[in-house]
Amino acid sequence: SERATHSLTHARTRTQVQEYGCWALGSFADDDSNRTIIAENGGIKAVVLAMRAHKERSKLQAYGCRTLGYVATDSTANRTRIGEDAEGGIPAVVGAMLAHSKKSYVQAYGCFALLKLAADHAINRIRIGEEGGIGAVVSAMLTHADESKVQENGCRMLGNTAANNANNRHRIGEEGGVGAVLAA
């Protein structure tokens, strides 16, 4: 995974390398020890930078969201790193969802990343609400009503984001989240 992080960091203009680098890191990150290696070797920042540099590439955006979700899994430290303003992971995920609203695979992985970032992390829940994550997920659920992964990840994300956060619970109601969950 150190090699994949290196490739992403030094190949910012080579779109396909960036795309498959994000894919590779996501595949590696489905392992506890690799999550730590990725985070400690600049992988989070590399993924976010790739997502920012290639906003028009839906596959890269999906792979980036997938990677951030896996890196956040079962790691408070990684959730904190991804959610920090300096890394910009939450705006990158929300931006991917908004830019590629018609692509169900981007929506499914975006919901997945946000649900993992919100899990047991009060600050990320606040940031997700403030960055438009709730509205992006509700929109994804309504737009992709027949896509089970969007519905499942969307329901889980809204539940995680609402936990111990009255502002987000209110936002979920205001932005149509209750209806989206009932329709799922």
Side-chain angles (χ1 to χ4, degrees), residues 138-149:
V138 170
S139 179
M141 292 176 72
L142 296 174
T143 301
H144 302 282
D146 294 333
E147 296 290 337
S148 62
K149 277 300 180 191

Side-chain angles (χ1 to χ4, degrees), residues 110-135:
C111 291
F112 170 74
L114 293 175
L115 82 87
K116 293 297 186 174
L117 288 167
D120 300 318
H121 202 288
I123 294 170
N124 281 353
R125 285 187 204 116
I126 293 167
R127 286 187 176 132
I128 289 167
E130 291 173 348
E131 293 287 342
I134 291 167

